[in-house]
């Protein structure tokens, strides 16, 4: 998926707007944030809220493209939780959007229950 996204973005985006592509691949850890053991995770998300967030962040200065995928359901240790890709002109444009979007997904869009 990530390799395909990168190929598509490089092909579809204006070279004037494309100087950086950042990728986030979140995976299920075996250890919880509190240090406890994790066996699995149940994950759901608000699809409409994700789409709205992606569309809003795409409007930011210097952003050429954003892609996001979330793996909904019962996830095992090592399974992908999400892939997020932010492409744009310069590091100063892309990094803040990348961080803010991932934070929003984790805090407002995704519901995780570690088991």
């Amino acid at each position: 998926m990530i390799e395909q996204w990168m190929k598509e973005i490089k092909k579809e985006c204006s070279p004037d707007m494309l100087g950086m592509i950042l990728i986030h691949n979140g995976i299920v850890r075996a250890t919880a944030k509190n240090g406890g053991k994790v066996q699995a995770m149940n994950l759901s998300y608000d699809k409409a809220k994700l789409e709205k967030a992606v569309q809003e962040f795409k409007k930011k200065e210097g952003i050429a493209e954003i892609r996001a995928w979330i793996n909904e359901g019962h996830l095992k240790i090592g399974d992908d939780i999400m892939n997020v890709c932010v492409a744009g002109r310069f590091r100063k444009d892309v990094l803040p959007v990348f961080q803010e979007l991932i934070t929003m997904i984790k805090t407002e869009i995704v519901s995780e229950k570690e088991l």
Side-chain angles (χ1 to χ4, degrees):
M1 172 186 302
I2 291 171
E3 288 180 17
Q4 184 63 35
W5 282 356
M6 290 177 62
K7 287 179 188 175
E8 291 169 359
I9 289 168
K10 287 177 180 179
K11 182 179 177 184
E12 296 167 7
C13 292
S14 167
D16 294 342
M17 283 297 295
L18 197 56
M20 172 180 246
I21 300 174
L22 290 178
I23 302 290
H24 169 75
N25 176 219
I27 59 172
V28 180
R29 292 183 310 267
T31 306
K33 291 175 187 162
N34 67 9
K37 292 281 185 187
V38 173
Q39 302 297 319
M41 171 188 289
N42 289 330
L43 187 137
S44 61
Y45 72 102
D46 185 325
K47 293 168 186 60
K49 203 169 194 178
L50 176 63
E51 181 59 30
K52 182 178 179 186
V54 167
Q55 293 308 317
E56 287 300 313
F57 280 98
K58 278 184 181 181
K59 296 176 186 174
K60 301 265 186 176
E61 179 70 26
I63 299 303
E65 180 62 278
I66 296 177
R67 308 266 175 107
W69 168 83
I70 299 175
N71 192 10
E72 190 169 37
H74 182 79
L75 309 178
K76 303 178 306 262
I77 303 303
D79 283 349
D80 289 338
I81 295 172
M82 73 174 90
N83 291 327
V84 177
C85 173
V86 178
R89 190 175 46 188
F90 302 116
R91 184 175 48 231
K92 70 175 182 60
D93 297 327
V94 177
L95 282 169
V97 170
F98 186 72
Q99 184 173 5
E100 191 177 343
L101 177 58
I102 292 170
T103 299
M104 177 183 276
I105 290 170
K106 294 288 288 177
T107 60
E108 300 177 29
I109 295 172
V110 167
S111 175
E112 301 174 345
K113 182 176 181 190
E114 295 175 329
L115 307 173

